Each structure stands twice: as structure tokens, then as C-alpha cells.
């Protein structure tokens, strides 16, 4: 007896009844996901209707001096409660341990799948053991759907969430699937040992394939842990791609009962690869190092307006590892283009600028390769050779950003190369045809950088021939906070998550560089005070949009300060752009 279960002998009819239940419960587990998706759709509809109702209740005249203590209707109270609950769910349980929402949602789903694994199993040990495996297999198609980063993903359309926002659900479901498979393998090995069948069954094909599968899944789950991802992203990414692509083969040949779920997963995986290949575009562009920094800038001209208008502010692409020469068009070459790529935010507005501008900090892996390539292609006369580049995309949540003209104030906070995400969004706000002085005054952009030289991709010096962004003349400025003392550029170490801070007495002296500053920027020394900036923003309205992109330390401080104002009942839209894998 094990946990109340026994090794029972069944007759033919009992085995048939067990087989019927083994077919029914995994089907129920798979269909349960449709209920969750339906709840997301209903929640989206209710959120839209609530927003329409609040817009109707909101006074038509400008009211930047409004306070959250005004008259509250039941609709306003409900929306404020929803915002507070959502904010509470997004708080991390602990560093590198996920958010409260992930733990609660994952715990509920895990409990539901464990119930489906044990329901109507009576005291049949083998029935429970088989149920763990087949319930886990039933979740594989959903797991691979959540990993689909194509804009054609049905999960993205139903939930109105991007691939980057869905990756947390993908990770949680992956851990659940692994736990169910681990229970399946452990219970079977226990059965073999206690029954004396281990020496015989360990030689059978299904057992050998099962052991191989659980070993591969263990490697996959272990390398996906955040500490290991931060230690060596390339190990994680390579392992993830290879095992995720091959694990379906041993699972298919393990037992026949899970094959239909494996076939479904293969179909999802194949469609995903087709969509990704269709999303690859080849261009010619230049690559160079920005003087005085470890930033790599890639500029890709777009010849036709039709191509340029297909890109939106804030989107990102995956740049494959360029070699400086044309890549082969073989199947193997296509796989390399898909899987040897890093995400890069589009720092320009292609429809206006006629080019794609990508900027990245050279750390390790592909970005270090880009730095070496830029050095090898540089010439003494300052010209830059054009090389073939392959981009996959565009992707990103920016296509679902709200209409910022409906907010009392908009606050954009960037750290380092995080400005590549916020710069085109800021420009789209202040440069829109309907934008006037009010749009500029309602929008504030704070940009923290290590060195002033890191801003040259956006604001070249006045005496430079390099192209840059020209903001409208009606007082639109970006506040640049320089946090590192003067001297040679520091090479980032570790994960690059923290902005180097400097004491007030050691801050970079600006006098020598003020005469070279580009238009549209004001420069300050030291770290930006999030408490003061957020407090000033929230004192001038009750409906606030806050967007952030940058090092973890900066965004965590911003999030904690914004959370205090959400607790006071302010209507806040908060979006934080990050790339976790």
C-alpha cells in the first residue's frame, strides 16, 4: 500500500473502464484551458465597458488639478479595486521567485490538474501513476502555444497579451508539466522496485525511452531556472531550443496513449516555426561602435514607404548573428537565423525616419560578437561598410498600448539602452498631428545613463554630421541624468542590471560638454529621484500612464513608489518592458 493505493489485479472489463477514464480526464484537463481563455475574453470585455463608462463619467473640461478624493461611483470604485488587485498580484514573492499572481494562478491550476489526476482512481496505484503522465501530456500543446511569439498566436489574440507577457505563464505551466511527469516516472519506478520487475522492465523500450525523456526534461527545467539563465543565457537558450525541439520524438514513441497530444504539440511547433520563418526579413545595414561607449548601433535604411509603415513605435525584432557576408538559404541556415538571435528594440520611428535604428550594449554572446564585427568593419575615414542582416519580427506589446491623449499625465522612465523602447513612444506622442503644447506639457521623459556619450545615438553633438531625432520646437525636452563620473567607459559585468551611481562630489563635469549638447535634451548630474518625480507627476492628475524600461534596480524603485499612489486610489496604467530570456 502506498498513500492508500494498492497494486490491484483487474479483469478485462475493469481495464476497459480504466482506459475510458484515462481518455476522459486528460481531455477534460485540456478543455479546461478554454474556460480560462474564455474568462480572459470576458474580463477584457468588462474592462473595455468599464473604461467606456469611466470616460463618460469623466468631466469634459480639462482638470489637471483633480484629486483622487473626488466623488466615487460604484464603477469607479470597482475599477480602482481591480487596479489595486492587479498591482498586488504583480508584486514579486521574493527575488527570482516570481510574482504573487504566478504563484496563485499556478497553484490553482496545479491543484486542478492533481484533482483530475486522482479523481475516480479508487485505490488503483497504476491508474493514478498512468493518470499523472497522461494529464501532463495533455498540457503540452498549451505549453507550446504559450511559447509562440508570432503575432498570429491565438493565445495572444484571445488574452490581448504579448509573447513577453505570456512567458511567465509558459514558465509556470512548464514546471507543472515537469512535476506531473516526475510523479509519473517516480511512481512507476517505485512499482517496479516493490514488485520485483525492475531488472526485467529496465530493458524494455518504453521504459528506456521514458527514462531518457525524464532526463531531458530535468535538464530542460534545470537550465531554465533564473539563476542559471543569468549565469549563462546562451547555455539556457541553446539547451531550451534543442530539447524543446527533440523531446517530442521520445515522448511519441514512449506509449501510444499520449500520442494524440504529442501530435497536437508537433502541429503547434511546426506552425510556430513556419510563422517565424515567414517573419524573417533580410536587409542591408551598417554597424558601428558609438565612440566612448560599449554601445553598438545598427542602422538599416528602408527604401520603400510600404515597408516603413509596417513598423510601430516600441516594437522589437530578433537580429540573427551577422557574419559580414551573405548567409546560406538552406534549412540549416534558416534554423540558425531563428535560434541564434537576440531581441533589439527599434529605437526609431520607421515611417517617419525611413530607417530601423537598433542599439545594444555589448556584454556577452551575440552582443560581444556584434562589437567585434563593428570593430572589424570600421575604417579610418569614418565610413561604415554595409552588410547583410536578417531580422525576425516585429514583435512586442506596443501595438496594444492605450491612447495616451486620454491621460492627465504620462511619465516615461528609461535607464541606459532602455530608452530605445521609450524614445519612439515619446516622439509619437509629441510629434503626432494632433499634438500641441498640452501634449508636450503632459508628458515627461526621464533618461538615466552612465555617461553622456550614451545619448549620442538619439542626440548627436551639434558639430556632428550624424543623423539624430529632431523633436518639435515647442519646449519638448528629455531630462538626461548622468550617473557615472568622467573617465573611460566601464565595461558592464554580470547581468548588467544595475546602473552605476556616483557621489555628488564625483559627478561628471558638464561644463566642457554643454556647448556640444544636441537639441531636445537637458542634462543633470546624479541619480533621478523617483519619489520626487512620481510625486510631482501624480500631483497634477488622477489618471496617469507610467512606462518604464531599464535596469532592474531602477524599475523596482519606480514600481515601489508608483504602488504607493495606486493605494491612494489613482487610476494608473503601468507598463514595464523587459526581456527575461
Amino acid at each position: 500500500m502506498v498513500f492508500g493505493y494498492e497494486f490491484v489485479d483487474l479483469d478485462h472489463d475493469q481495464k476497459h473502464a480504466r482506459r475510458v477514464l484515462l481518455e476522459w480526464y486528460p481531455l477534460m484537463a485540456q478543455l479546461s484551458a478554454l474556460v480560462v481563455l474564455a474568462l480572459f475574453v470576458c474580463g477584457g470585455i468588462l474592462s473595455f465597458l468599464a473604461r467606456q463608462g469611466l470616460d463618460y463619467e469623466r468631466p469634459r473640461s480639462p482638470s489637471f488639478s483633480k484629486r483622487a478624493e473626488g466623488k466615487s461611483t460604484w464603477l469607479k470604485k470597482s475599477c480602482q479595486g481591480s487596479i489595486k488587485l492587479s498591482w498586488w498580484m504583480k508584486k514579486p514573492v521574493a527575488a527570482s521567485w516570481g510574482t504573487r499572481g504566478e504563484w496563485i494562478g499556478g497553484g490553482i491550476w496545479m491543484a486542478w490538474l492533481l484533482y483530475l489526476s486522482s479523481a475516480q482512481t479508487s485505490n488503483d496505484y497504476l491508474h493514478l501513476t498512468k493518470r499523472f503522465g497522461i494529464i501532463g501530456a495533455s498540457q503540452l500543446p498549451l505549453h507550446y502555444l504559450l511559447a509562440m511569439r508570432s503575432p498570429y498566436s491565438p493565445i495572444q489574440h484571445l488574452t490581448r497579451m504579448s509573447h513577453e507577457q505570456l512567458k511567465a505563464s509558459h514558465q509556470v505551466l512548464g514546471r507543472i508539466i515537469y512535476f506531473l511527469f516526475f510523479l509519473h516516472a517516480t511512481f512507476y519506478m517505485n512499482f517496479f522496485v516493490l514488485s520485483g520487475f525492475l531488472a526485467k522492465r529496465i530493458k524494455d523500450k518504453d521504459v528506456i525511452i521514458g527514462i531518457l525523456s525524464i532526463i531531458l526534461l530535468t535538464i530542460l527545467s534545470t537550465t531554465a531556472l533564473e539563476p542559471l539563465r543569468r549565469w549563462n543565457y546562451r547555455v539556457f537558450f541553446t539547451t531550451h531550443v534543442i530539447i524543446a525541439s527533440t523531446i517530442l520524438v521520445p515522448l511519441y514513441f514512449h506509449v501510444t496513449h499520449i500520442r494524440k497530444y504529442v501530435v497536437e504539440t508537433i502541429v503547434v511547433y511546426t506552425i510556430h516555426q513556419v510563422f517565424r520563418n515567414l517573419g524573417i526579413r533580410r536587409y542591408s545595414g551598417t554597424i558601428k561602435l558609438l565612440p566612448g561607449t560599449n554601445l553598438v548601433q545598427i542602422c538599416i535604411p528602408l527604401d520603400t514607404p510600404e515597408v516603413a509603415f509596417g513598423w510601430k513605435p516600441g516594437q522589437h525584432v530578433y537580429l540573427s548573428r551577422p557574419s559580414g557576408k551573405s548567409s546560406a538559404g538552406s534549412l540549416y541556415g534558416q534554423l540558425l537565423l531563428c535560434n541564434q538571435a537576440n531581441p533589439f528594440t527599434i529605437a526609431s520611428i520607421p515611417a517617419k525616419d525611413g530607417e530601423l535604428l537598433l542599439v545594444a550594449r555589448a556584454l556577452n554572446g551575440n552582443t560581444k560578437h556584434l562589437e567585434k564585427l563593428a570593430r572589424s568593419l570600421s575604417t579610418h575615414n569614418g565610413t561604415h561598410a554595409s552588410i547583410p542582416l536578417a531580422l525576425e519580427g516585429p514583435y512586442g506589446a506596443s501595438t496594444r498600448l492605450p491612447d495616451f491623449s486620454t491621460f492627465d499625465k504620462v511619465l516615461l522612465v528609461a535607464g541606459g539602452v532602455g530608452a530605445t523602447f521609450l524614445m519612439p513612444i515619446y516622439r509619437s506622442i509629441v510629434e503626432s498631428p494632433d499634438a500641441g503644447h498640452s501634449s508636450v506639457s503632459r508628458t515627461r521623459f526621464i533618461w538615466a545613463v552612465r555617461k553622456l556619450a550614451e545619448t549620442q545615438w538619439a542626440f548627436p553633438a551639434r558639430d556632428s554630421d550624424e543623423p539624430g531625432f529632431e523633436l518639435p520646437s515647442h519646449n519638448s525636452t528629455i531630462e538626461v541624468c548622468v550617473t557615472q563620473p568622467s573617465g573611460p567607459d566601464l565595461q558592464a559585468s554580470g547581468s548588467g542590471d544595475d546602473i552605476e551611481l556616483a557621489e555628488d562630489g564625483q559627478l561628471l563635469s558638464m561644463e566642457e560638454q554643454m556647448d556640444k549638447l544636441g537639441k531636445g535634451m537637458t542634462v543633470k548630474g546624479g541619480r533621478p529621484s523617483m519619489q520626487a518625480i512620481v510625486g510631482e507627476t501624480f500631483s497634477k492628475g488622477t489618471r496617469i500612464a507610467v512606462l518604464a524600461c531599464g535596469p532592474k534596480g531602477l524599475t523596482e524603485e519606480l514600481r515601489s513608489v508608483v504602488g504607493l499612489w495606486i493605494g491612494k486610489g489613482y487610476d494608473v496604467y503601468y507598463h514595464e518592458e523587459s526581456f527575461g530570456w
Side-chain angles (χ1 to χ4, degrees), residues 451-561:
K451 298 180 66 176
L452 191 60
E454 295 185 4
T455 65
Q456 60 188 289
W457 60 266
F459 301 109
R462 288 193 179 100
D463 57 359
S464 171
D465 296 330
E466 294 290 337
F469 304 138
E470 295 185 5
L471 298 175
S473 59
H474 44 268
N475 301 321
S476 57
T477 58
I478 295 174
E479 302 171 43
V480 178
C481 301
V482 182
T483 63
Q484 180 179 302
S486 58
D489 185 52
L490 296 182
Q491 296 295 321
S493 61
S495 62
D497 274 341
D498 296 316
I499 288 182
E500 300 257 353
L501 303 182
E503 299 296 333
D504 292 343
Q506 298 176 314
L507 291 173
L508 175 65
S509 176
M510 302 296 171
E511 289 80 359
E512 299 178 357
Q513 304 181 54
M514 290 300 292
D515 59 336
K516 295 183 178 181
L517 295 181
K519 284 184 178 181
M521 63 185 296
T522 59
V523 180
K524 302 176 182 179
R527 181 185 186 184
S529 172
M530 290 297 106
Q531 187 170 1
I533 293 170
V534 172
E536 180 182 351
T537 301
F538 278 75
S539 67
K540 298 179 180 179
T542 59
R543 188 164 189 240
I544 313 295
V546 181
L547 286 82
C549 186
K552 193 173 183 180
L554 183 72
T555 55
E556 283 181 348
E557 181 184 0
L558 175 65
R559 172 179 280 273
S560 64
V561 177

Side-chain angles (χ1 to χ4, degrees), residues 195-233:
S195 302
F197 297 151
L198 181 61
K200 174 181 177 298
R201 292 287 280 131
I202 201 71
K203 301 175 184 178
D204 293 338
K205 184 182 72 172
D206 61 329
V207 176
I208 294 174
I209 293 177
I211 293 174
L212 173 63
S213 299
I214 199 64
I215 290 174
L216 290 175
L217 290 171
T218 301
I219 296 172
L220 184 70
S221 301
T222 303
T223 55
L225 295 175
E226 185 169 348
L228 292 177
R229 294 205 310 268
R230 291 187 178 279
W231 168 69
N232 194 316
Y233 178 86

